[in-house]
Amino acid sequence: MNKRPRTNQPAGMPTAAQVIEFIQTADGAAGKREIAKAFGLKGQEKIALKKLLRDMAEEGLIDGKKTAYHRMGGVPKVTVLRVVEIEDGEPLAIPDSWQPDDATPPPRLRVIEPKKGRTRQAALRVGDRILARTEETGGGWRAHVMKKLPAKTEGMMGVVEIDANGKAWLAPVDKRVRQSSPIADLGGAAAGQLVMTEAAGKSQRSGVNVIEVLGDPLAPKSFSLIAISKHGIPNVFGEDTLAEAELAAKLPVSAETREDLRHLPIVAIDPADARDHDDAIWAEPDGKGGFRAVVAIADVSYYVRPGGALDREARKRGNSVYFPDRVVPMLPEVLSADVCSLRQGEDRAAMACHMEISGDGKIMDWRFTRALVKIDEVIAYEDAQERIDSGKAATNLANLWECWKVLADARAKRDPLELDLPERRVMLDDQGKITEIAIRERLDAHRVVEEFMISANVAAAKALESKTAPVVYRVHETPSREKLVALREYLETFGKKLALGQVITPSLFNRMLKDVTDEAEKAQVMEAVLRSQTQAYYGPNNAGHFGLSLGSYAHFTSPIRRYADLLVHRSLVDAFKLEQPKPQGSIPPLSGLSDRDRGDLAKISEAISGTERRAMEAERDTIDRYVAAWLSARVGETFETRITGVQSFGFFATIVGLGGDGLVPVSTLGSDYYTYDEAARALIGERSGTRFDTGQKLELTLAEANPLTGALKFQLPETDGQKIEPRGNRTEARRSSKGPGKGSGGKGPQAGKFRTGPRGRPGNIRHQGRKKK
């Protein structure tokens, strides 16, 4: 006889969780008839039950047999999954249709990505949806990727808009998403509010339901919240992680087991708004023309031990993420902003890199110790520079500058890649409102700290190599031949040559840039050289650092905010047999590399390379939103801009001295016919000969600035081309077209398929592509 539901179970339709509970506890058959009888269902309720059971079978919650349902305990052989975590480089996923109110937690499947043709850029990320073939093994469930699927709900975060008919729409905050989604359930949200949503049904036509109201989309906190949500950045620490951090913060640090360096006037030179202090530096002349130097780095490996909750969370995050209004730290604040941070006048545990530097800037010797330090002063870059320039610097600061001069001489001989890449800085007031956006000034103080950090990173890599110990290298490979061929063809349009038969070195690019005297042309060439470079990554196999012109390089100097540095510290602890702390309660005792670290170094390196790219994208997106917000009140003004990229559908330009890339659609350029020259990366007017080249400076009028997406649009001040209508009533465009309205840019027409005519109508553009070899 079947067990009945609990006596307090009300009559009526059961939830999926209640059906599963009944099936799991049934003594005999548990078909539709038995389920209906158990819950007292009649008439239309039985029809609804049939649909519920069919949906549950499709989701893999039950096996779908009509006469005897039972809980599968797994997932269908082929199903849609959603990636929820990246663990040691391997994605973990759950069934995409699993409902949040299910009592049973969803199974987690380890995703096996196809190796053929796989690249780092193609790796799955948190939030991705895949169609996968699943199998159950002795160690759990595995999923083999069949194909990657588009997002289930484009723009899960967006702004509520109400059209003239009273219908609610979700305007996405992701500028890559072109269409709004209908809102089935507002969940109490009002027009103009920023909301988080989820799919209302299996079809996109079902729209979305609001699950969280975030408030004013232009509030200071919103821009970073959008990026955190969009990129799936973990930003809440679990209770076990916080509890372990509190215990770790109480670990004793004693000079009895460490090298006592508290007598050295070590200083930390950081941004004025720095939230944590990883590093501090000291140097003095050695009496032989060279210097003795110490780079003291926060000893995070003493507090964050392999195998603990802290380590698992830090590994998952990979790095801290910095926004203008907040930081999403890799470690809980009690460690990142307090105990591990090298704060002025307080005893701190440090990993010390001692270096002997010759008069010509070469690192002659090094050693690593676990030390106890007391920072003499934390100085802002600007303050340190002012003291040096005014001649009022104390001896310890003046020594750092003198040591830097010999390190700079050695750098000049290496001739690393020198690209002037400006960094935008967003200044906020106490209420979080934008007060200024400007290019961060590059001072000698920045170069001083940078050169000491590079020297310590080189010493760490070479020290570990000398012990044949594991190293997580920072790798920057030589540009690929494909990119060099593209660069050569581009340079030919300037009458310049790039011989590919020679050894490609940073010096080659530096000489090329020095030979260009015209500033506009130099900007174009510099942009092209930058595009030819590969992306740096972490890995256990050394391929050198092309940009810095170094044979061995490892990140050692920022373990508070980078997991790669923490792994390097652990390897140094093992290789040089540094202090291994005694067991302290529930804190794991090992502070070197664990067996898992050693065995999975390649996977870990790939995972943290991915989290680094995720952080860079999130930070860049947020700055773009701040810039768009800053400019939203200046629509209609004309700015000096520089073209940063050209495509067949238009070109992108950035405001000189401010940044923020905006599109100039080809439809706005006038009545001329424009040819897209792919090799030259230029749009060329056939009748007028007008050219739009990468790096070119020109005056443009700001036509649209959208703070929600960070998108800007420009147009020529005087043109007979199609005008860009400022973002306003989206409803009419939505009624008249399934895609973007006129002037939106859309995804851009295909190369070779667009021109602008007298009325801005689509016509033909001739596409001069790259010649096939």
Side-chain angles (χ1 to χ4, degrees):
M1 183 176 180
N2 293 343
K3 290 183 180 180
R4 294 290 185 262
R6 293 184 294 271
T7 55
N8 61 352
Q9 172 65 47
M13 280 297 298
T15 65
Q18 289 170 332
V19 170
I20 291 171
E21 181 184 5
F22 172 74
I23 293 171
Q24 289 176 328
T25 58
D27 292 333
K32 184 177 67 176
R33 180 182 301 175
E34 287 76 22
I35 296 171
K37 184 177 179 181
F39 289 92
L41 306 182
K42 298 179 180 179
Q44 291 297 317
E45 292 175 337
K46 288 185 178 181
I47 297 175
L49 175 64
K50 182 178 180 180
K51 181 179 182 302
L52 172 64
L53 296 175
R54 183 172 65 248
D55 290 344
M56 291 175 65
E58 290 178 359
E59 294 173 14
L61 303 178
I62 57 178
D63 68 0
K65 293 181 181 179
K66 295 182 179 180
T67 55
Y69 292 93
H70 69 270
R71 180 76 170 95
M72 289 184 65
V75 292
K77 290 184 179 179
V78 175
T79 190
V80 177
L81 304 174
R82 184 176 76 257
V83 177
V84 294
E85 184 179 339
I86 306 294
E87 183 181 89
D88 298 344
E90 290 188 351
L92 298 177
I94 64 173
D96 187 50
S97 56
W98 204 277
Q99 298 301 314
D101 61 348
D102 286 342
T104 306
R108 293 165 73 85
L109 297 88
R110 191 164 294 278
V111 179
I112 309 301
E113 299 183 77
K115 294 183 179 179
K116 186 177 180 181
R118 181 184 173 193
T119 64
R120 293 184 185 88
Q121 289 76 12
L124 291 174
R125 301 194 301 181
V126 172
D128 285 346
R129 296 172 69 241
I130 57 172
L131 180 66
R133 175 175 53 82
T134 66
E135 63 175 346
E136 190 172 13
T137 66
W141 285 86
R142 291 194 301 186
H144 299 270
V145 179
M146 297 171 66
K147 66 176 180 178
K148 186 176 177 180
L149 300 174
K152 189 172 185 179
T153 304
E154 296 280 79
M156 293 291 285
M157 182 182 281
V159 175
V160 175
E161 292 185 347
I162 308 295
D163 66 20
N165 298 319
K167 183 167 181 163
W169 296 84
L170 181 76
V173 296
D174 188 343
K175 60 186 173 185
R176 296 172 300 180
V177 180
R178 304 296 182 182
Q179 290 180 273
S180 298
S181 299
I183 299 177
D185 182 359
L186 276 168
Q193 288 187 314
L194 181 68
V195 297
M196 183 69 73
T197 69
E198 65 179 7
K202 295 183 178 179
S203 169
Q204 287 192 348
R205 284 178 291 183
S206 302
V208 297
N209 293 329
V210 174
I211 58 174
E212 185 179 1
V213 179
L214 300 174
D216 181 3
L218 299 181
K221 66 177 183 179
S222 296
F223 297 145
S224 54
L225 284 177
I226 290 169
I228 289 168
S229 172
K230 173 186 170 183
H231 295 280
I233 296 172
N235 68 323
V236 178
F237 289 106
E239 292 184 4
D240 56 343
T241 302
L242 293 173
E244 187 177 312
E246 291 292 341
L247 290 175
K250 298 175 183 177
L251 289 172
V253 179
S254 171
E256 295 179 4
T257 55
R258 291 173 171 266
E259 182 182 23
D260 193 345
L261 298 178
R262 288 176 292 180
H263 62 285
L264 293 181
I266 304 177
V267 297
I269 305 176
D270 276 312
D273 57 353
R275 299 175 174 107
D276 51 55
H277 306 284
D278 286 279
D279 56 83
I281 51 180
W282 169 88
E284 70 174 8
D286 63 2
K288 298 179 291 186
F291 289 85
R292 289 186 292 271
V294 173
V295 175
I297 306 298
D299 190 0
V300 176
S301 65
Y302 178 71
Y303 298 99
V304 182
R305 314 283 177 79
L310 269 172
D311 184 51
R312 289 193 299 272
E313 185 66 23
R315 185 187 299 232
K316 180 173 73 175
R317 296 184 176 217
N319 45 257
S320 298
V321 187
Y322 293 88
F323 300 109
D325 65 320
R326 74 184 70 207
V327 59
V328 180
M330 184 178 77
L331 302 173
E333 189 172 348
V334 67
L335 296 179
S336 61
D338 186 5
V339 175
C340 290
S341 186
L342 302 182
R343 296 166 67 169
Q344 181 174 320
E346 299 185 23
D347 289 357
R348 285 292 185 264
M351 184 78 78
C353 172
H354 298 257
M355 294 179 290
E356 294 183 11
I357 301 169
S358 67
D360 56 0
K362 294 181 179 178
I363 304 173
M364 306 304 295
D365 197 10
W366 56 77
R367 66 184 178 91
F368 290 85
T369 65
R370 271 189 153 153
L372 188 65
V373 300
K374 179 180 287 187
I375 304 305
D376 186 65
E377 188 178 8
V378 175
I379 316 173
Y381 284 113
E382 294 80 5
D383 292 341
Q385 189 68 55
E386 192 277 329
R387 293 184 198 180
I388 291 292
D389 293 343
S390 65
K392 298 177 181 178
T395 302
N396 60 341
L397 202 61
N399 283 342
L400 292 176
W401 255 251
E402 292 304 313
C403 184
W404 164 62
K405 290 177 182 177
V406 301
L407 291 173
D409 288 342
R411 178 190 179 98
K413 291 175 183 176
R414 292 199 325 268
D415 202 13
L417 189 60
E418 299 290 353
L419 295 177
D420 183 16
L421 304 175
E423 179 186 353
R424 289 175 291 173
R425 184 183 184 189
V426 177
M427 303 296 293
L428 306 175
D429 62 18
D430 294 339
Q431 285 73 45
K433 295 181 180 179
I434 308 169
T435 59
E436 182 185 7
I437 297 178
I439 300 300
R440 192 184 296 271
E441 186 180 5
R442 178 78 167 161
L443 304 171
D444 280 348
H446 293 97
R447 298 182 178 92
V448 169
V449 174
E450 179 182 277
E451 212 56 51
F452 273 90
M453 297 304 109
I454 290 173
S455 299
N457 288 337
V458 170
K462 291 186 175 181
L464 290 174
E465 288 173 347
S466 71
K467 297 288 186 177
T468 323
V471 186
V472 176
Y473 290 99
R474 181 62 169 177
V475 180
H476 182 222
E477 297 181 11
T478 303
S480 66
R481 180 170 179 81
E482 180 183 8
K483 288 190 174 184
L484 290 172
V485 168
L487 177 62
R488 181 183 64 183
E489 293 180 357
Y490 177 64
L491 292 174
E492 285 175 353
T493 65
F494 290 90
K496 300 183 181 301
K497 294 182 179 181
L498 175 63
L500 298 185
Q502 60 188 312
V503 176
I504 303 299
T505 65
S507 300
L508 177 67
F509 296 119
N510 290 338
R511 290 196 302 271
M512 183 188 305
L513 291 169
K514 287 177 182 177
D515 290 340
V516 181
T517 55
D518 182 79
E519 287 301 316
E521 185 176 319
K522 177 173 286 189
Q524 291 175 274
V525 175
M526 188 177 297
E527 192 81 30
V529 170
L530 177 62
R531 291 175 186 272
S532 73
Q533 301 303 302
T534 61
Q535 187 170 36
Y537 63 92
Y538 295 106
N541 300 315
N542 189 18
H545 198 293
F546 176 81
L548 291 175
S549 194
L550 292 168
S552 297
Y553 194 66
H555 276 167
F556 159 78
T557 55
S558 295
I560 290 178
R561 61 186 180 91
R562 292 189 305 225
Y563 195 78
D565 302 54
L566 177 55
L567 291 171
V568 169
H569 278 228
R570 288 175 178 169
S571 192
L572 287 166
V573 168
D574 288 341
F576 290 91
K577 297 180 172 54
L578 304 182
E579 175 202 3
Q580 287 285 3
K582 297 177 181 178
Q584 297 284 338
S586 60
I587 301 292
L590 182 69
S591 66
L593 288 173
S594 67
D595 291 338
R596 184 184 184 190
D597 288 337
R598 295 174 183 275
D600 291 346
L601 211 54
K603 291 181 180 179
I604 298 171
S605 298
E606 184 171 359
I608 58 181
S609 295
T611 60
E612 178 190 45
R613 289 191 295 273
R614 177 181 69 186
M616 291 171 61
E617 291 171 7
E619 291 168 358
R620 183 175 60 245
D621 285 355
T622 302
I623 295 294
D624 285 346
R625 287 187 173 91
Y626 273 105
V627 170
W630 180 245
L631 291 171
S632 60
R634 304 178 68 181
V635 171
E637 289 188 32
T638 298
F639 296 88
E640 183 184 20
T641 70
R642 183 172 63 84
I643 297 177
T644 58
V646 181
Q647 296 292 333
S648 61
F649 52 83
F651 60 85
F652 294 89
T654 186
I655 297 175
V656 175
L658 180 63
D661 268 4
L663 174 66
V664 180
V666 69
S667 59
T668 68
L669 298 182
S671 58
D672 201 351
Y673 292 78
Y674 281 87
T675 297
Y676 174 48
D677 188 331
E678 186 176 0
R681 300 172 192 167
L683 283 171
I684 306 169
E686 291 189 357
R687 293 197 298 266
S688 65
T690 302
R691 290 179 63 98
F692 297 102
D693 296 274
T694 302
Q696 176 183 343
K697 284 187 178 181
L698 72 166
E699 298 285 316
L700 291 175
T701 299
L702 181 64
E704 179 178 306
N706 185 348
L708 295 177
T709 63
L712 304 176
K713 287 178 185 171
F714 296 104
Q715 59 191 22
L716 296 174
E718 296 181 6
T719 176
D720 58 353
Q722 179 177 304
K723 297 294 183 181
I724 296 175
E725 294 297 329
R727 178 185 173 93
N729 189 343
R730 302 166 58 93
T731 308
E732 294 304 318
R734 195 182 290 119
R735 288 174 182 164
S736 62
S737 173
K738 293 182 180 180
K742 289 182 179 181
S744 69
K747 292 183 179 179
Q750 293 180 352
K753 297 294 183 182
F754 205 90
R755 76 165 173 89
T756 57
R759 299 183 184 177
R761 292 195 296 265
N764 292 314
I765 179 174
R766 293 182 178 84
H767 179 170
Q768 182 177 323
R770 192 175 298 160
K771 295 179 180 179
K772 293 183 179 180
K773 299 293 182 181

